[in-house]
Amino acid sequence: MNMIRGIIALLGEITADGWISFIGSIIGAVITAISILVAIYQSRLQINQQKITMLVPYYESLLQSLPCYDKIMTQADYLNEDDNLLGGFTSSESKLYILEERVKDVKNDNDRSLLEYKIKKQKEYLEYWNQANKKIEDFMSDGYFNAIKSACNGDIISCYYDFVVAFHNEHYYCGPVIDTDLLRNNLVRLMEAINKAKK
């Protein structure tokens, strides 16, 4: 109790100038603390932005290693169930051979034209797939890809692998489930994951 009375008495002896100086010191300390917190926040934002900027070349390399959205094609674009070539384990090269053999036996001009169209599309597909696959395989076997996997977040790498696996499965198995829309959706998911990481 005596201590409280002593504090009150001491406070009573402080002059108006002393109080102004005291309150000014407190306000100055609060402003300094707020300035420090703002500086820390801005530094963190700048560091995050620098990290994102450093990762942009990695993101671009991932996307550039894959076929562009408009160029993606699958065998399901032109083959159908009547061809009896979708799904199963007939290789894409064998499908071309089968179509070329079938066209020899066709008498109807419309059927011949349709088969010739499918042969043409299969040749285009094989050329497209071989070029795109070489680009992917070269990229993934490069040591740079390991650096990208280490630097990028798991969602981005997972989306990348989802596309590559679907791309290979379409070629080697070609089930009707794996079509152009599925590959394009996987590519869009990768782009969305990259855009999310940039924020």
Side-chain angles (χ1 to χ4, degrees), residues 33-81:
I34 290 171
S35 297
I36 290 170
L37 291 174
V38 167
I40 290 170
Y41 176 74
Q42 288 176 338
S43 290
R44 285 185 180 166
L45 283 179
Q46 189 176 14
I47 289 168
N48 285 340
Q49 190 58 45
Q50 287 173 345
K51 284 181 185 176
I52 290 169
T53 303
M54 285 174 43
L55 292 174
V56 166
Y58 292 158
Y59 300 150
E60 289 172 357
S61 294
L62 284 172
L63 291 173
Q64 288 170 1
S65 72
L66 301 176
C68 68
Y69 184 88
D70 294 334
K71 302 259 185 203
I72 292 174
M73 67 183 294
T74 59
Q75 296 168 93
D77 293 342
Y78 52 88
L79 296 177
N80 56 38
E81 300 204 4

Side-chain angles (χ1 to χ4, degrees), residues 14-29:
I14 298 175
T15 64
D17 289 341
W19 279 111
I20 291 172
S21 179
F22 174 73
I23 292 171
S25 297
I26 296 236
I27 291 172

Side-chain angles (χ1 to χ4, degrees), residues 1-179:
M1 195 68 155
N2 287 338
M3 187 172 157
I4 293 172
R5 284 185 193 156
I7 291 173
I8 293 172
L10 185 62
L11 291 175
E13 293 178 12
I14 298 175
T15 64
D17 289 341
W19 279 111
I20 291 172
S21 179
F22 174 73
I23 292 171
S25 297
I26 296 236
I27 291 172
V30 168
I31 290 172
T32 301
I34 290 171
S35 297
I36 290 170
L37 291 174
V38 167
I40 290 170
Y41 176 74
Q42 288 176 338
S43 290
R44 285 185 180 166
L45 283 179
Q46 189 176 14
I47 289 168
N48 285 340
Q49 190 58 45
Q50 287 173 345
K51 284 181 185 176
I52 290 169
T53 303
M54 285 174 43
L55 292 174
V56 166
Y58 292 158
Y59 300 150
E60 289 172 357
S61 294
L62 284 172
L63 291 173
Q64 288 170 1
S65 72
L66 301 176
C68 68
Y69 184 88
D70 294 334
K71 302 259 185 203
I72 292 174
M73 67 183 294
T74 59
Q75 296 168 93
D77 293 342
Y78 52 88
L79 296 177
N80 56 38
E81 300 204 4
D82 295 338
D83 299 313
N84 199 25
L85 294 174
L86 290 175
F89 296 101
T90 305
S91 73
S92 298
E93 291 78 10
S94 296
K95 290 173 188 170
L96 176 60
Y97 174 78
I98 291 167
L99 290 169
E100 288 173 334
E101 289 299 309
R102 284 182 188 171
V103 80
K104 293 176 184 176
D105 299 329
V106 173
K107 307 286 187 240
N108 182 318
D109 287 342
N110 289 337
D111 291 343
R112 177 179 299 283
S113 294
L114 181 60
L115 276 172
E116 286 171 349
Y117 168 77
K118 290 180 180 186
I119 289 168
K120 178 182 170 222
K121 294 304 285 182
Q122 188 69 7
K123 287 178 180 177
E124 287 174 11
Y125 166 81
L126 288 170
E127 183 179 346
Y128 147 81
W129 194 89
N130 287 328
Q131 287 175 356
N133 186 56
K134 181 176 181 346
K135 194 173 178 182
I136 291 169
E137 296 296 329
D138 288 349
F139 177 71
M140 291 179 75
S141 63
D142 190 347
Y144 185 60
F145 181 65
N146 289 330
I148 291 172
K149 285 192 305 187
S150 298
C152 293
N153 73 40
D155 289 342
I156 291 172
I157 299 304
S158 176
C159 289
Y160 184 83
Y161 277 119
D162 286 348
F163 180 92
V164 172
V165 168
F167 178 77
H168 285 127
N169 285 345
E170 183 278 329
H171 182 73
Y172 293 113
Y173 175 68
C174 190
V177 174
I178 301 174
D179 59 8

